[in-house]
Amino acid sequence: FYRGLATGRVSVVAPVAAMVGAVVPVGAGLAFGERPSSLAAVGLLLALVAIALVPGGAAAPGWSRAGMGTMLGVVAGALFGLFFVFLSRTESSAGLWPLVAARAASVLGAVVVGLGIRGRSLRMEGGRLRQVAAVGLADMGANIFFLLAVRSDLLVLVAAISSLYPAVTVVLARVLLDDRIRRWQAVGLTLAAGGVVMIAIG
């Protein structure tokens, strides 16, 4: 996912990953027999449409560098979706241990891949290390909140709301990276807000 953001357009890669990451757990939740209320189902539909619209209709530029970033977003989204499904199947009695195991595995994988790419050391400058630590804390916090949410509500609804994160990513890209928000992206952001409200009420 991070490699996709680095090589592609943030406003495209993030929503693509979110869309794929939402479809997998939503499909799994329905297969598990989950049935949201009518109002929540409408909100779920709005959320999925919003995730699809947030990219703004930007076409994937083939197998260029940016296109590869988009493809990495698809792969990341599929893995995110599977991760959400696996978390939803853990018992409440397990506490946060599933996340501890997941983080240990991801750190080990990152070290192995990092050493393979850099070929020598993973040392970073102080400022960069602080940024990475902040990202890690935010990521772990999001995982904790997702785990708590999915243990108290339907996977199809929690996954849909969680996958609306590109709305925030697109807004931040506009503010920090001067990435323009297109008309359809604005529509998607509006539908996302409506979907969240309807799911919360339902």
Side-chain angles (χ1 to χ4, degrees), residues 88-176:
S88 73
R89 309 308 289 176
T90 61
E91 298 290 339
S92 298
S93 59
L96 298 179
W97 283 109
L99 293 180
V100 174
R103 183 46 50 101
S106 64
V107 169
L108 177 61
V111 169
V112 172
V113 173
L115 289 175
I117 293 176
R118 296 177 66 102
R120 52 186 189 279
S121 171
L122 295 178
R123 293 181 59 185
M124 292 179 289
E125 299 175 357
R128 182 65 58 84
L129 182 59
R130 287 191 292 270
Q131 293 175 351
V132 171
V135 170
L137 288 174
D139 177 63
M140 195 61 178
N143 288 333
I144 291 173
F145 283 119
F146 178 89
L147 182 61
L148 296 176
V150 81
R151 286 178 174 170
S152 62
D153 212 329
L154 300 180
L155 172 63
V156 293
L157 301 181
V158 175
I161 293 179
S162 299
S163 296
L164 288 173
Y165 70 84
V168 179
T169 305
V170 168
V171 172
L172 288 176
R174 175 66 182 91
V175 174
L176 301 177

